Structures are given as structure tokens and as C-alpha cells.
Amino acid sequence: MATYVLIHGAGDASYWHRLVPELRGRGHDVVAPELPSDDAVGLAGYTDTVVSAIGDRTDPIVVAQSLGGFTGPLVCDRVPVRLLVMLAAMVPVPGETAGDWWDDTGAERARREQAVRDGRSPDFDLVESFFHDVPPEIAAEAMTREQRSESASMWTDPWPLKAWPDVPTRFLLCRHDRFFPASFQRRVVRERLGIVPDEMDGGHLPALSRPKELADRLEAFRLECPAG
């Protein structure tokens, strides 16, 4: 049995509600903490929350989605982990804030350019950007939930590590991601992590749109990375 630690992005931990039973059904322990919303709690508070949720579990696999890419590596710097999986994630560099990341990487320009290439409006639309491939009933349920507020400090806290943590790292991008387009992610991952990302079909929210396929990919990563 392995332990999967799931770190959500902007939004809340309900994002994982279709993936959790897939992983537990394979016999694994799953930790999916809700990150705090207090404006005074930033990266350190997010990291503390995840570390506390891990508790005395050993050798976990950390999966960091989207904005969770800023927190995942910090958890790995504090807790011995088996593997870090960056899922359609933001990849920070030392000293960078989550707020600056967009201009630093050209993320918004890449999103707009991809929309034009696809024949869509370049203006941001929540449904079109995030839920275009999510089953309608799942998308409707997600849209009815009260939106968790992100900590204001999360966007302004500099990423504190001097280098990427010494932990096996995989990056899984989604080929039909309209928010972080695949071509953009391939470039950022190459420049910032120096690795070639793994790829799967689907948009920015694979835990909602393709939970079984995502679980299969995570399991394949686990089997390729022996326990410590």
C-alpha cells in the first residue's frame, strides 16, 4: 500500500472527489487536505497544513495540481517523499511569487494565443477554460459549490527554496489544457525542471474529467519509482 498526498490548486479539496475512490480502490491510503483561506496564511501555512495532514505516514507520493505546484516542492523539502508528481502545475523558481509567475512565464499570453488558434474567444471564460471536457453533471455540481477564497498572501510570498528539492519528480501535462496549453507547459518544464513531461489527454482538471486514467498514470509512476 502506498500513500498519495493530493494538493489542490485554486479551489478546494473537493476537486479530488472522483480520484480518491479510484486510488483507495487500488488499496492505497489517500490524504487530500483542505488548504487554509486566511489572508495572513501563505505558502508557509499551506505547507504546514499538508505536512500536518501527512502526520507519521512514510514515503508518500505527493501530487500537486496547478497552483499547488508552489506548495508541493515545499512539502518535499520538509518530509521524505517517494515521488513528486506535478499535475498541470505551475513550476516556480527561487524567489518568484505566484502572482509574478504569470508574466515571468508568459502564461496568459500563451492561453490567449492558444484560444485564437483553436477558434475560440481569447477572453477568459471559467467553463470554457476549465470544464470543457468535464462530464456536465460533474461540472454543474462543481459550479454550485461555494468557492473557497485563496489566501492573499499565497500570491505574494516569494517561493523560499534556493533550488528544487532532491526528490524524484514527474510532470504530467494535459494535451487539451486550455488554461496552461501543452506547448507552453512543455517549454516551461524544459526550462525550469530540465525534464521532458509526461502527457495525457484531457483539459486542466483531469481528476474531474478522467479520474480512472489519471489514477492509472499515477500508479504507473509509482511502479517506476521504487519505495525508499
Side-chain angles (χ1 to χ4, degrees):
M1 180 183 77
T3 295
Y4 283 93
V5 178
L6 310 180
I7 303 175
H8 66 78
D12 58 53
S14 68
Y15 168 66
W16 301 112
H17 80 277
R18 300 190 76 198
L19 179 64
V20 168
E22 289 286 346
L23 295 172
R24 287 181 175 160
R26 290 162 165 81
H28 301 304
D29 184 19
V30 182
V31 178
E34 187 75 54
L35 299 178
S37 296
D38 187 335
D39 280 346
V41 174
L43 274 172
Y46 281 25
T47 305
D48 288 344
T49 297
V50 179
V51 170
S52 177
I54 293 172
D56 60 1
R57 296 173 176 89
T58 59
D59 218 24
I61 297 167
V62 175
V63 182
Q65 161 84 24
S66 197
L67 178 60
F70 267 73
T71 304
L74 301 184
V75 173
C76 297
D77 189 56
R78 299 227 342 236
V79 176
V81 307
R82 177 172 178 176
L83 175 68
L84 170 62
V85 180
M86 302 284 281
L87 176 61
M90 298 165 69
V91 180
V93 294
E96 185 174 57
T97 70
D100 288 340
W101 180 89
W102 306 88
D103 286 341
D104 291 349
T105 60
E108 176 61 13
R109 181 177 68 253
R111 183 197 66 77
R112 294 176 68 88
E113 290 175 349
Q114 185 64 52
V116 171
R117 285 194 294 271
D118 292 345
R120 295 180 285 107
S121 169
D123 296 333
F124 175 77
D125 180 271
L126 180 66
V127 174
E128 284 298 308
S129 294
F130 289 120
F131 293 97
H132 60 94
D133 68 332
V134 174
E137 67 278 11
I138 302 298
E141 179 187 7
M143 296 293 285
T144 61
R145 293 195 189 98
E146 183 177 353
Q147 182 68 30
R148 163 187 164 274
S149 297
E150 206 70 52
S151 165
S153 299
M154 175 64 202
W155 300 104
T156 58
D157 284 350
W159 196 66
L161 298 186
K162 295 181 179 179
W164 200 257
D166 184 17
V167 58
T169 301
R170 303 290 286 263
F171 193 104
L172 181 57
L173 66 78
C174 299
R175 298 187 188 97
H176 309 110
D177 193 334
R178 294 179 176 179
F179 193 57
F180 295 157
S183 58
F184 161 78
Q185 288 280 51
R186 293 182 190 111
R187 172 180 61 80
V188 171
V189 173
R190 181 182 68 251
E191 292 175 352
R192 296 190 164 205
L193 292 179
I195 63 175
V196 176
D198 294 276
E199 304 188 13
M200 64 178 285
D201 287 339
H204 192 65
L205 304 177
L208 292 180
S209 63
R210 298 169 180 265
K212 183 181 184 303
E213 181 179 348
L214 177 55
D216 289 343
R217 297 302 297 269
L218 294 176
E219 282 288 83
F221 294 161
R222 176 182 67 84
L223 293 172
E224 293 170 10
C225 186

